[in-house]
Amino acid sequence: MNSHYEAPLDESIFLLKEVIEWKTLFEYPAFNHVDEDLATAVLSEAAKFTSEVLAPLNEIGDSQGSRLIDGKVVTPDGFRQAYADFIESGWPGLDMPEKYGGQALPLSVQVAFAEMVNGACISFGMLPIMLRAAATLLLEHGGTEIIDRVVPNLVSGKWGATICITEAQAGSDVGRIKTLARPQADGSYHLSGSKIFISYGDHDLTNQITHLVLARTPDAPAGTRGISLFLVPKIHFDSDSQNQVSVSRLEKKMGLKASPTCVLDLDEAVAYRIGEENRGLNCMFTMVNLMRLEVSIQGPAIASAACRKALAYARERMQGGAPDKKALPIIEHADVRRMLYIMRARTEAMRALVFEAAFNLDVARADADKENARAAKQLAELLLPVCKAAGSQTGFDVANLAVQVLGGHGYISDHGVEQYVRDARVAMIYEGSNGIQALDLVTRKLLKDEGQRYNIFVNRIKQDITRFENIERCKLILSGLHQGLQHLSSSTDFLLNCKPEAIRDVETGAADYLNLLALVASSWMWLRMVAHVDESTEFGLSKLAVGNFHTEHMMPECQLLSERVMLGAGTIDSLSSDVLAG
Ligand SMILES: Cc1cc2nc3c(=O)[nH]c(=O)nc-3n(C[C@H](O)[C@H](O)[C@H](O)COP(=O)(O)OP(=O)(O)OC[C@H]3O[C@@H](n4cnc5c(N)ncnc54)[C@H](O)[C@@H]3O)c2cc1C
C-alpha cells in the first residue's frame, strides 16, 4: 500500500483542455502534428506507466538508497529495469525535437507527465529532468558536432547528464566557483576541481554520463563574468576509457535517498567548451530555467500524492463521535476537513499555475507574432521563481499536513507520507533556494524592468475577471481576487518606489511579496478552474467548494503579507549579527 500511486489524470486533462486551452497550441505549426486525442492518449499511458512501473520503486528506493561500492554508484533494486522500460517507451524525449528522436509535444504536456513521474517516485524523476534540460542547453549553445554526438543519446535516454555548479565555497554564490579549466592545444580543456551535491553524478542506469560543468579559465575575471561552461564525458568520446572524473563521496541525506548526491572530483578531466568563454553562466541558465520548471512541478506532484493518501485514510479511519454510537470516520471532523481543504486548495492551484507557466513557454516558442511571443515569455519569466518557490513550499506543507491527518500512522513509515515530507524538503533548497527565488522575483523580474512583466501578469488577470464576471458561481472568488490584487498593487508600488539605497527594505520584503503574488496567482487559477466546471457534476461541485474555501480561508492572508512587505528592514537590522547570534 505504501507505494500505491494514482496519477491525477482527469485533473491534468481538465486543466490542459479547459483551463489552459491546449487546442490553441495545436494550431501552431510547431505543434500541429499533435491533437487532443494524441496528447490525451500519451498522458493516459503515462498514468499507467508511472503507477505500475515507477511507483513500486518509491519505498524500496527510500529504504535501500543508492550506494557507493568500489567508487561506483549502485542504484536500488528495480531501478535499472524501470529505467530500461522508461527509455524503451520513449518517455525521455516527449517534448524534444523529432529530428533528434523526440516527439516534439508541448512543454505543457511534458510538465503534466513530469508530475506523474515525480509523484510516483521523485528520486527516479531526478534523472530524466537533467537529460531534457541538458539536451535543450546543447541545442541552444552547442556546436553541430557536439549536438549530433550527444543530443540523440540524451533524447533516447541512452546517456545520462548532470548539472555541475555547486562547490564547497560556492552555493547560492555561484560567482565563487574555483574549478579550473586549462586550454589544450587541440582545442579541448582539462578541468580540475571538486563539485559537491551533484545529483546522479554517477549511477548504473546508463554507461555514459555527460556532465555539464561550470569552471573558469586561468585568466578569467572574478565573479560570474569569468565563468565558462564545459561538457565533461564520463567515458572519453574517442575511446572506451574512463575520463578523470570520480566520485569521492555519496551524501547521506534527509530524503530523496535513491537519487545519488555525489561529490565529483575532476582531475585534469578532458572537457569541451560549450558557448563562448566567460559566458558560461548565461548558457547554463537555459538548463537551470528548464530544471526550475520541473522542480516547480515536483511540489504539486508530491502534494497530490500525499493528498490522495490523506483523503483515502480520512474516509477509513474511525475516531470520535458519541461514545454509544459507532465511531465516525475522521473525514467528518471539522479540523480534519479544514486540513484536507487546504491540501486540495493549494495543490490544485499550484498545479494549474505551473501548467500556465509551461503553456506560456510553449507560446513564446511557437507563436510567430513577435509581440505575443514576447509577452508570453515575460509572463513565464515572472511566474517561474513563483512556481519554483511556492510550488516546493506547497509540496512540503501539504505532505506535512498529510502526516497530521494520518496522526501517529502518518509519522511511522507504513503509509509512506513521512517519506513525502522528507523527499519534498529539498525542492525548497536546490535549483536556487526559495530565498534566492524571491530576490530574483523582486530585483530582476520586478524592479529591473520597472514593472513590465508585472503589468502583463495583472492585465491577464483583469482580462479573465472581465471574461468571467457574469458567472454567478465565480462571484466569491472574484471578490477575493479583487481584494488580493489591491494588496498586491500596494506592495508592488512600495517596492517600485524604494530608492536604490533602500535595497535592504526590498530584500526584507521579498519572500512575503513572492508569497503574496503566489496567492493572487492561485486565486486567478481558481477563478479559471471554477469558471470552466459543470456545476451539475460532482467534479464541478467539488471544484467550486474548494475554490470558495481558498477565497474565504486563504485569501485574507494577502493583507498580512502585504503589510509585512511594507515593513522594511528596520527590525531585521536592529541587532548586529554578533548579538543576533548570541
Ligand atoms: C539533494 C541535493 C541535490 C542537489 N543537486 C545539485 C546538482 O545536481 N548540481 C548542483 O550544482 N548542485 C546541486 N545541489 C546544490 C544546491 O543547488 C545548493 O544546495 C543550493 O544552491 C544552495 O546552496 P548552499 O547549499 O550552499 O546554501 P547557501 O548558499 O549557503 O545558502 C544557505 C541559506 O542562505 C541563504 N542565502 C544565501 N545567499 C543569500 C543571499 N545573497 N541573500 C539572501 N539569502 C541568501 C539561502 O537562501 C539559504 O537559505 C543539490 C543540493 C541538494 C541538497
Side-chain angles (χ1 to χ4, degrees):
M1 266 322 274
N2 193 337
S3 284
H4 176 76
Y5 174 71
E6 194 187 329
L9 180 63
D10 293 346
E11 177 76 20
S12 297
I13 302 281
F14 163 71
L15 287 178
L16 291 165
K17 196 171 170 181
E18 311 290 347
V19 179
I20 307 297
E21 297 179 62
W22 63 3
K23 63 178 181 300
T24 56
L25 290 178
F26 304 144
E27 283 159 18
Y28 293 123
F31 301 123
N32 68 9
H33 60 291
V34 191
D35 60 21
E36 207 164 282
D37 289 345
L38 173 68
T40 305
V42 167
L43 289 177
S44 305
E45 199 47 46
K48 201 160 159 269
F49 182 85
T50 50
S51 55
E52 288 175 5
V53 179
L54 300 188
L57 304 176
N58 206 35
E59 187 182 357
I60 192 158
D62 186 54
S63 58
Q64 228 174 57
S66 280
R67 288 148 293 158
L68 187 62
I69 300 174
D70 298 331
K72 294 189 187 318
V73 173
V74 178
T75 55
D77 294 349
F79 271 60
R80 279 170 66 90
Q81 185 57 52
Y83 188 75
D85 294 348
F86 186 80
I87 64 173
E88 168 74 22
S89 311
W91 294 118
L94 219 55
D95 65 326
M96 292 287 113
E98 288 177 298
K99 181 176 172 195
Y100 298 101
Q103 298 171 50
L105 292 180
L107 190 55
S108 24
V109 177
Q110 151 65 34
V111 134
F113 167 65
E115 175 183 349
M116 297 178 188
V117 174
N118 285 292
C121 181
I122 186 173
S123 281
F124 181 93
M126 293 292 287
L127 182 58
I129 291 178
M130 289 186 289
L131 306 186
R132 299 175 40 260
T136 308
L137 180 154
L138 292 176
L139 285 170
E140 219 163 285
H141 306 287
T144 324
E145 207 186 317
I146 284 276
I147 290 178
D148 290 346
R149 191 194 284 261
V150 180
V151 171
N153 287 303
L154 294 178
V155 172
S156 68
K158 198 171 158 213
W159 291 4
T162 67
I163 177 167
C164 298
I165 300 177
T166 311
E167 297 178 10
Q169 76 296 342
S172 306
D173 194 356
V174 176
R176 291 187 194 275
I177 66 169
K178 285 187 188 156
T179 296
L180 185 67
R182 289 192 306 110
Q184 303 298 300
D186 64 358
S188 68
Y189 289 75
H190 282 179
L191 258 59
S192 296
S194 189
K195 294 285 177 183
I196 65 166
F197 295 163
I198 304 308
S199 299
Y200 279 94
D202 187 52
H203 55 84
D204 54 3
L205 305 180
T206 62
N207 289 333
Q208 176 67 289
I209 301 175
T210 45
H211 304 287
L212 284 151
V213 185
L214 289 181
R216 49 177 82 250
T217 49
D219 300 318
T224 51
R225 283 159 198 254
I227 295 177
S228 304
L229 172 64
F230 300 88
L231 186 148
V232 180
K234 173 181 171 179
I235 314 280
H236 288 298
F237 285 146
D238 43 15
S239 72
D240 277 348
S241 61
Q242 189 95 15
N243 202 353
Q244 295 296 96
V245 187
S246 57
V247 182
S248 57
R249 180 187 156 97
L250 199 59
E251 303 295 353
K252 291 199 170 83
K253 52 195 194 295
M254 178 178 177
L256 223 63
K257 291 187 189 262
S259 166
T261 306
C262 306
V263 175
L264 269 194
D265 292 333
L266 304 153
D267 180 12
E268 298 287 311
V270 174
Y272 307 94
R273 201 182 75 229
I274 307 295
E276 285 174 38
E277 202 171 318
N278 297 336
R279 301 279 300 156
L281 197 56
N282 289 56
C283 300
M284 193 57 125
F285 259 101
T286 304
M287 187 166 183
V288 167
N289 281 336
L290 209 50
M291 289 183 60
R292 278 187 184 160
L293 183 74
E294 293 253 346
V295 172
S296 304
I297 203 65
Q298 286 183 339
I302 289 200
S304 170
C307 204
R308 283 192 183 232
K309 283 194 178 172
L311 286 161
Y313 184 86
R315 277 169 62 162
E316 300 291 323
R317 172 69 173 164
M318 310 296 283
Q319 287 293 285
D324 54 340
K325 300 224 169 74
K326 200 178 154 208
L328 294 170
I330 60 169
I331 198 167
E332 297 291 337
H333 300 306
D335 187 55
V336 174
R337 281 177 166 254
R338 180 189 61 81
M339 291 190 278
L340 294 170
Y341 269 93
I342 293 175
M343 291 164 79
R344 280 198 53 188
R346 292 186 61 181
T347 304
E348 291 169 30
M350 278 317 301
R351 175 189 289 120
L353 193 62
V354 180
F355 284 16
E356 173 71 17
F359 171 82
N360 278 284
L361 288 170
D362 282 327
V363 174
R365 212 187 95 205
D367 201 319
D369 181 315
K370 285 210 169 90
E371 192 45 38
N372 279 349
R374 190 188 58 81
K377 183 165 176 282
Q378 289 190 319
L379 179 57
E381 286 167 352
L382 180 96
L383 292 180
L384 206 52
V386 179
C387 287
K388 193 278 171 182
S392 56
Q393 185 75 53
T394 298
F396 180 70
D397 290 348
V398 170
N400 210 12
L401 276 172
V403 171
Q404 197 66 22
V405 170
L406 269 75
H409 297 275
Y411 190 74
I412 64 170
S413 55
D414 289 9
H415 291 266
V417 288
E418 59 82 34
Q419 185 190 340
Y420 290 142
V421 178
R422 291 184 287 105
D423 284 352
R425 185 63 184 84
V426 72
M428 291 151 69
I429 297 168
Y430 59 30
E431 281 318 311
S433 69
N434 286 2
I436 298 296
Q437 301 302 317
L439 291 178
D440 177 48
L441 175 69
V442 293
T443 55
R444 285 213 205 103
K445 310 288 164 61
L446 179 68
L447 300 189
K448 212 170 164 190
D449 79 343
E450 294 170 349
Q452 272 188 59
R453 291 182 178 90
Y454 170 80
N455 288 334
I456 294 172
F457 170 69
V458 170
N459 287 338
R460 286 281 167 88
I461 297 180
K462 288 185 174 161
Q463 280 166 14
D464 282 334
I465 288 177
T466 309
R467 198 171 151 203
F468 303 128
E469 67 189 350
N470 292 324
I471 302 179
E472 192 52 39
R473 65 176 175 278
C474 294
K475 290 281 190 249
L476 186 68
I477 297 178
L478 280 164
S479 76
L481 183 53
H482 270 299
Q483 284 174 22
L485 276 172
Q486 277 166 14
H487 292 300
L488 184 63
S489 164
S490 316
S491 306
T492 306
D493 288 346
F494 170 82
L495 293 175
L496 285 171
N497 289 322
C498 279
K499 301 223 156 44
E501 57 273 21
I503 188 69
R504 290 289 281 183
D505 292 341
V506 172
E507 290 171 357
T508 306
D512 286 319
Y513 183 77
L514 186 144
N515 288 333
L516 171 57
L517 199 142
L519 251 183
V520 172
S522 298
S523 176
W524 177 34
M525 292 301 117
W526 273 113
L527 172 67
R528 289 166 60 179
M529 286 191 273
V530 168
H532 285 99
V533 292
D534 173 355
E535 241 180 308
S536 66
T537 63
E538 205 175 279
F539 183 81
L541 269 179
S542 160
K543 278 277 179 231
L544 177 57
V546 180
N548 284 341
F549 174 89
H550 184 267
T551 303
E552 282 189 344
H553 287 249
M554 305 180 77
M555 288 304 281
E557 283 171 34
C558 289
Q559 180 173 349
L560 173 74
L561 289 165
S562 172
E563 282 172 11
R564 280 215 302 255
V565 171
M566 297 188 283
L567 280 177
T571 319
I572 294 275
D573 281 338
S574 62
L575 290 180
S576 72
S577 298
D578 283 345
V579 178
L580 175 63

